[in-house]
């Protein structure tokens, strides 16, 4: 079945450590997105990519980085510059604006 | 500017009762409209979408929504809810700009179905 796979499901980060969240899709979608969700809040866009080797900052890109070397993969790195990284992170893909397919999310906690 | 407002943050309702979750949007161009559902600790799942054509769209799990252009609304309805419908529901609007689609999500409405 086609879909989006996010891993790991749970991730713990120590202070000052960089961590990378994986997102892989086999839907042949061109566009991919990373959102952050905090308790009781909606989704905030971190980064998005419309095509391979190109990506743009979203509304809250500071402290995050991404790459898009393959169509199927859009990993997100949470750097030490992100001062409040504890959140639920969602990856999504879409085809020409016809709605998103979301992964099951990664819950990141700072310890 | 593009925006989405979900008018209710929480909606409690008894099982088998009807429910309406309200969504209003603003955009200066033609839009695509969506409703998503999120169960605890999961990603969002697309319930239904309006792209063009009939203003009444039917989705999964017995939900439907009506696009009202004059009211700039896209309210979600279900005639009889089940306990399993307890979840958070997000309205989203997407329009085409700068060569791609930009999507904005509402803050979400938590539907709580009581026995």
């Amino acid at each position: 079945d086609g879909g989006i796979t996010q891993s790991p499901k749970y991730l713990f980060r120590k202070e000052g450590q960089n961590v990378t969240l994986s997102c892989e899709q086999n839907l042949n979608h061109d566009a991919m997105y990373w959102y952050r969700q905090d308790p009781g809040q909606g989704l905030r866009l971190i980064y998005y990519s419309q095509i391979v080797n190109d990506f743009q900052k979203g509304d809250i890109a500071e402290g995050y980085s991404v790459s898009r070397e393959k169509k199927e993969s859009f990993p997100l790195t949470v750097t030490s510059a992100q001062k409040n990284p504890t959140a639920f992170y969602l990856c999504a893909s879409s085809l020409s604006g016809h709605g998103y397919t979301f992964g099951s999310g990664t819950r990141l906690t700072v310890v | 500017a593009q925006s989405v407002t979900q008018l209710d943050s929480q909606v409690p309702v008894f099982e088998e009762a009807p429910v309406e979750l309200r969504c209003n949007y603003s955009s200066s161009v033609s839009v695509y409209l969506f409703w998503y559902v999120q169960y605890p600790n999961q990603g969002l799942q697309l319930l239904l979408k309006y792209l063009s054509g009939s203003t009444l769209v039917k989705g999964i799990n017995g939900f439907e929504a009506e696009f009202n252009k004059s009211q700039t609304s896209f309210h979600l309805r279900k005639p009889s809810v089940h306990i399993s419908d307890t979840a958070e529901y997000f309205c989203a609007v997407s329009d085409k700009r700068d060569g791609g689609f930009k999507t904005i999500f509402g803050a979400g409405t938590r539907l709580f179905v009581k026995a």
Side-chain angles (χ1 to χ4, degrees), chain A residues 9-10 33 35 37 40-43 45 48 50 59 88 90 96-105 107, chain B residues 32 34 36 38 41-46 49 51 88 90 94 99-108 110:
Chain A
K9 190 169 179 66
Y10 298 96
Y33 309 82
Y35 285 90
Q37 186 177 30
Q41 298 189 29
L43 279 67
L45 182 62
Y48 64 101
Q50 303 278 16
D59 301 317
F88 191 51
L90 288 162
S96 300
H98 285 207
Y100 287 7
T101 299
F102 282 87
S104 57
R107 187 165 299 281
Chain B
Y32 296 163
F34 308 87
Y36 293 85
Q38 184 181 33
N41 293 313
Q42 294 186 27
L44 280 68
Q45 180 184 5
L46 182 64
K49 60 186 175 184
L51 303 180
E88 185 133 27
F90 291 92
S94 180
F101 286 89
K102 182 174 176 62
T103 299
I104 298 291
F105 287 83
R110 188 169 298 277

Side-chain angles (χ1 to χ4, degrees), chain A residues 1-7 22-32 68 71-74 91-94 100-105, chain B residues 44:
Chain A
D1 286 338
I4 294 186
T5 301
Q6 288 188 243
S7 62
S22 171
C23 178
E24 303 277 334
Q25 56 104 351
N26 60 3
L27 299 164
N28 201 32
H29 287 172
D30 287 314
M32 296 187 75
R68 186 87 187 275
K71 189 174 186 177
E72 301 80 16
S73 179
F74 191 42
C91 180
S93 70
S94 74
Y100 287 7
T101 299
F102 282 87
S104 57
Chain B
L44 280 68

Side-chain angles (χ1 to χ4, degrees), chain B residues 3-76:
Chain B
S3 69
V4 178
T5 303
Q6 292 185 240
L7 294 143
D8 306 291
S9 59
Q10 297 185 66
V11 174
V13 62
F14 284 103
E15 192 174 20
E16 297 184 7
V19 71
E20 178 180 81
L21 306 184
R22 297 179 293 167
C23 174
N24 286 94
Y25 70 93
S26 67
S27 175
S28 58
V29 299
S30 295
V31 297
Y32 296 163
L33 295 159
F34 308 87
W35 275 99
Y36 293 85
V37 60
Q38 184 181 33
Y39 300 101
N41 293 313
Q42 294 186 27
L44 280 68
Q45 180 184 5
L46 182 64
L47 267 181
L48 48 78
K49 60 186 175 184
Y50 171 78
L51 303 180
S52 65
S54 173
T55 57
L56 182 64
V57 292
K58 294 188 183 296
I60 61 172
N61 302 343
F63 284 93
E64 64 181 33
E66 185 157 18
F67 170 52
N68 188 319
K69 190 173 182 179
S70 62
Q71 303 277 344
T72 61
S73 68
F74 190 55
H75 301 334
L76 181 71

